[in-house]
Amino acid sequence: VFKKKRNIFVNHIFVKKMSSSNLRVSVVTGNSKSGSACVKELLTRYKSSIKLLKASFRSDSKADSLRKADYFDANLVQICSDVSADNKESLLNAFRDTDFALIVTPHDPTSGMSRDAELTCNMIHAAVESGVKHIVVVGSWTVKAPQHLPTLSSRFIPSETLLKELEVSKGLKWSVLRGGYFFDNISYAVKNNVVSIPAHYAVAAVCVEDIGKSAAAIFASDDTSKHHGKCYEMCGPAVLTGDDIANILSEKLDRKITHFAFSPGPEVLKNLPLYLQELITYFAIEKEKSCPFTNSVQQLTGQWTSFGEWVSNNKDLFP
């Protein structure tokens, strides 16, 4: 039976709902996993607080899943289609008439990572120009290790820097949810009942949907100013090694999953993208210290998704 290496147990701290229905929130983009989770949480748990929820999508077809959701409310939701981080007018429309905004750092695998920071900054500038008072950005813990992870951290450092500059020049309020290593990433490492995880991997991976729920909790807080200037580390409830992950997968999938523990030697790394080379090497150097481990998710939302729970709800990812 799996035994957690480290865990944090705290009393659930539930965020109070606002007493009046005055929240005006923009979510860009609404079809990202964290963005869609934020939208769902706002329209379910915090619905009584919502006055306007603008959900943005790159194309109208990507909004279909939201329209078909049983929690969709056309009286509260305004869908913005054809929104592009390269198109200022589309961004201004996406943020117009809202006071709060969730901005998810973009990642388009077809175009690589080189412009992610620029596009995020475009969205931040447009939000401020449109009158948004408080921005929550989904970023990454990699900003804490730029010397080891220059490729990944370069996607997020410029946006955090810009938020601080706009705080001084425009009075902007901001928060950052620094995403960790995601449960979804682990699913990509499973093939033929073998999970390939670096030998020194020990990370409190997180459910992406918990990040979106954390953003919703900030917006619906009784005092959003207490979240200003905060960088929340988004982690799961336990630090997991490769063996831990294999054991949990075996239990939840009801079949034996073996852990293939590989070391970051030249032969292994040479065929991987640069960002993965840096990440795997970093895991080997820092081991359990590689990613932050906090209980911010539980403190913000009163909930905390474990890897086992996530696997049980996503068995289709492990054929």
CSV table of all heavy atoms in Angstrom, one decimal, residues 173-194:
chain,number,residue,atom,x,y,z
A,173,LYS,N,-3.1,45.5,-9.0
A,173,LYS,CA,-3.0,44.4,-8.0
A,173,LYS,C,-2.8,43.1,-8.8
A,173,LYS,O,-3.4,42.9,-9.9
A,173,LYS,CB,-4.3,44.3,-7.2
A,173,LYS,CG,-4.6,45.6,-6.4
A,173,LYS,CD,-3.6,45.8,-5.3
A,173,LYS,CE,-4.0,47.0,-4.4
A,173,LYS,NZ,-4.0,48.3,-5.1
A,174,TRP,N,-2.0,42.2,-8.2
A,174,TRP,CA,-1.7,40.9,-9.0
A,174,TRP,C,-1.4,39.8,-8.0
A,174,TRP,O,-1.1,40.0,-6.9
A,174,TRP,CB,-0.5,41.2,-9.9
A,174,TRP,CG,0.8,41.6,-9.2
A,174,TRP,CD1,1.2,42.9,-8.9
A,174,TRP,CD2,1.8,40.7,-8.6
A,174,TRP,NE1,2.4,42.9,-8.2
A,174,TRP,CE2,2.7,41.6,-8.0
A,174,TRP,CE3,1.9,39.4,-8.5
A,174,TRP,CZ2,3.9,41.1,-7.3
A,174,TRP,CZ3,3.0,38.8,-7.8
A,174,TRP,CH2,4.0,39.7,-7.2
A,175,SER,N,-1.6,38.6,-8.6
A,175,SER,CA,-1.2,37.3,-7.9
A,175,SER,C,-0.7,36.4,-9.0
A,175,SER,O,-1.0,36.5,-10.1
A,175,SER,CB,-2.4,36.7,-7.2
A,175,SER,OG,-3.1,37.6,-6.4
A,176,VAL,N,0.2,35.5,-8.6
A,176,VAL,CA,0.8,34.5,-9.5
A,176,VAL,C,0.5,33.1,-8.9
A,176,VAL,O,0.8,32.9,-7.7
A,176,VAL,CB,2.3,34.7,-9.7
A,176,VAL,CG1,2.8,33.6,-10.6
A,176,VAL,CG2,2.5,36.1,-10.4
A,177,LEU,N,0.0,32.2,-9.7
A,177,LEU,CA,-0.1,30.8,-9.3
A,177,LEU,C,1.0,30.1,-10.1
A,177,LEU,O,0.9,29.8,-11.3
A,177,LEU,CB,-1.5,30.3,-9.7
A,177,LEU,CG,-2.7,31.1,-9.1
A,177,LEU,CD1,-4.0,30.5,-9.6
A,177,LEU,CD2,-2.7,31.0,-7.6
A,178,ARG,N,2.0,29.7,-9.3
A,178,ARG,CA,3.1,29.0,-10.0
A,178,ARG,C,2.9,27.5,-10.1
A,178,ARG,O,3.1,26.8,-9.1
A,178,ARG,CB,4.4,29.3,-9.2
A,178,ARG,CG,4.9,30.8,-9.3
A,178,ARG,CD,6.1,31.0,-8.4
A,178,ARG,NE,6.7,32.3,-8.6
A,178,ARG,CZ,7.6,32.8,-7.7
A,178,ARG,NH1,8.0,32.1,-6.7
A,178,ARG,NH2,8.1,34.0,-8.0
A,179,GLY,N,2.5,27.2,-11.3
A,179,GLY,CA,2.2,25.8,-11.5
A,179,GLY,C,3.4,24.9,-11.3
A,179,GLY,O,4.5,25.3,-11.5
A,180,GLY,N,3.2,23.7,-10.8
A,180,GLY,CA,4.2,22.7,-10.6
A,180,GLY,C,4.3,21.7,-11.7
A,180,GLY,O,3.9,22.0,-12.9
A,181,TYR,N,4.8,20.6,-11.4
A,181,TYR,CA,4.9,19.5,-12.4
A,181,TYR,C,3.5,18.9,-12.3
A,181,TYR,O,3.0,18.6,-11.3
A,181,TYR,CB,5.9,18.5,-12.0
A,181,TYR,CG,6.3,17.5,-13.1
A,181,TYR,CD1,7.2,17.9,-14.1
A,181,TYR,CD2,5.8,16.2,-13.1
A,181,TYR,CE1,7.6,17.0,-15.1
A,181,TYR,CE2,6.2,15.4,-14.1
A,181,TYR,CZ,7.0,15.8,-15.1
A,181,TYR,OH,7.4,14.9,-16.1
A,182,PHE,N,2.8,18.7,-13.5
A,182,PHE,CA,1.4,18.3,-13.6
A,182,PHE,C,1.2,16.8,-13.6
A,182,PHE,O,2.0,16.1,-14.2
A,182,PHE,CB,0.8,18.9,-14.8
A,182,PHE,CG,1.0,20.4,-14.9
A,182,PHE,CD1,1.3,21.0,-16.1
A,182,PHE,CD2,0.7,21.2,-13.8
A,182,PHE,CE1,1.5,22.4,-16.2
A,182,PHE,CE2,0.9,22.6,-13.9
A,182,PHE,CZ,1.3,23.2,-15.1
A,183,PHE,N,0.1,16.4,-13.0
A,183,PHE,CA,-0.3,15.0,-13.1
A,183,PHE,C,-0.3,14.5,-14.6
A,183,PHE,O,0.1,13.4,-14.9
A,183,PHE,CB,-1.6,14.7,-12.5
A,183,PHE,CG,-1.6,14.9,-11.0
A,183,PHE,CD1,-2.8,15.1,-10.3
A,183,PHE,CD2,-0.5,14.7,-10.2
A,183,PHE,CE1,-2.9,15.2,-8.9
A,183,PHE,CE2,-0.5,14.8,-8.8
A,183,PHE,CZ,-1.7,15.1,-8.2
A,184,ASP,N,-0.8,15.4,-15.4
A,184,ASP,CA,-0.9,15.1,-16.9
A,184,ASP,C,0.4,14.7,-17.5
A,184,ASP,O,0.5,13.8,-18.3
A,184,ASP,CB,-1.5,16.3,-17.6
A,184,ASP,CG,-2.9,16.7,-17.1
A,184,ASP,OD1,-2.9,17.2,-16.0
A,184,ASP,OD2,-3.8,16.6,-17.9
A,185,ASN,N,1.5,15.4,-17.0
A,185,ASN,CA,2.8,15.0,-17.5
A,185,ASN,C,3.2,13.6,-17.3
A,185,ASN,O,3.8,12.9,-18.1
A,185,ASN,CB,3.9,15.9,-16.9
A,185,ASN,CG,3.7,17.4,-17.1
A,185,ASN,OD1,3.8,18.2,-16.2
A,185,ASN,ND2,3.4,17.8,-18.4
A,186,ILE,N,2.7,13.1,-16.1
A,186,ILE,CA,3.0,11.7,-15.8
A,186,ILE,C,2.4,10.7,-16.7
A,186,ILE,O,2.9,9.7,-17.1
A,186,ILE,CB,2.6,11.4,-14.3
A,186,ILE,CG1,3.5,12.3,-13.3
A,186,ILE,CG2,2.8,9.9,-14.0
A,186,ILE,CD1,3.0,12.2,-11.9
A,187,SER,N,1.1,11.1,-17.1
A,187,SER,CA,0.4,10.2,-18.0
A,187,SER,C,1.2,10.0,-19.4
A,187,SER,O,1.1,8.9,-20.0
A,187,SER,CB,-1.0,10.7,-18.3
A,187,SER,OG,-0.9,11.9,-19.1
A,188,TYR,N,1.9,11.0,-19.8
A,188,TYR,CA,2.7,10.9,-21.0
A,188,TYR,C,3.9,9.9,-20.9
A,188,TYR,O,4.4,9.5,-21.9
A,188,TYR,CB,3.2,12.2,-21.5
A,188,TYR,CG,2.2,13.3,-21.6
A,188,TYR,CD1,2.4,14.6,-21.2
A,188,TYR,CD2,0.9,13.0,-22.1
A,188,TYR,CE1,1.5,15.6,-21.3
A,188,TYR,CE2,-0.1,14.0,-22.2
A,188,TYR,CZ,0.2,15.3,-21.8
A,188,TYR,OH,-0.7,16.3,-21.8
A,189,ALA,N,4.2,9.6,-19.7
A,189,ALA,CA,5.4,8.8,-19.4
A,189,ALA,C,5.1,7.3,-19.3
A,189,ALA,O,5.9,6.5,-19.0
A,189,ALA,CB,6.1,9.2,-18.1
A,190,VAL,N,3.8,7.0,-19.4
A,190,VAL,CA,3.3,5.6,-19.3
A,190,VAL,C,3.1,4.9,-20.6
A,190,VAL,O,2.3,5.5,-21.4
A,190,VAL,CB,2.0,5.5,-18.4
A,190,VAL,CG1,1.6,4.0,-18.3
A,190,VAL,CG2,2.2,6.1,-17.0
A,191,LYS,N,3.8,3.8,-20.8
A,191,LYS,CA,3.6,3.1,-22.1
A,191,LYS,C,3.9,1.6,-21.8
A,191,LYS,O,4.9,1.3,-21.2
A,191,LYS,CB,4.6,3.6,-23.2
A,191,LYS,CG,4.4,3.0,-24.5
A,191,LYS,CD,5.3,3.6,-25.6
A,191,LYS,CE,5.1,3.0,-27.0
A,191,LYS,NZ,6.0,3.7,-28.0
A,192,ASN,N,2.9,0.8,-22.3
A,192,ASN,CA,3.1,-0.7,-22.2
A,192,ASN,C,3.3,-1.1,-20.7
A,192,ASN,O,4.2,-1.9,-20.4
A,192,ASN,CB,4.2,-1.2,-23.1
A,192,ASN,CG,4.0,-1.0,-24.5
A,192,ASN,OD1,2.8,-1.0,-25.0
A,192,ASN,ND2,5.0,-0.7,-25.3
A,193,ASN,N,2.5,-0.5,-19.8
A,193,ASN,CA,2.6,-0.8,-18.4
A,193,ASN,C,3.9,-0.5,-17.7
A,193,ASN,O,4.3,-1.1,-16.7
A,193,ASN,CB,2.2,-2.3,-18.2
A,193,ASN,CG,0.8,-2.6,-18.5
A,193,ASN,OD1,-0.1,-1.7,-18.3
A,193,ASN,ND2,0.5,-3.8,-19.0
A,194,VAL,N,4.6,0.5,-18.3
A,194,VAL,CA,5.9,0.9,-17.8
A,194,VAL,C,5.8,2.5,-17.7
A,194,VAL,O,5.4,3.1,-18.6
A,194,VAL,CB,7.1,0.5,-18.6
A,194,VAL,CG1,8.4,1.2,-18.1
A,194,VAL,CG2,7.2,-1.0,-18.7
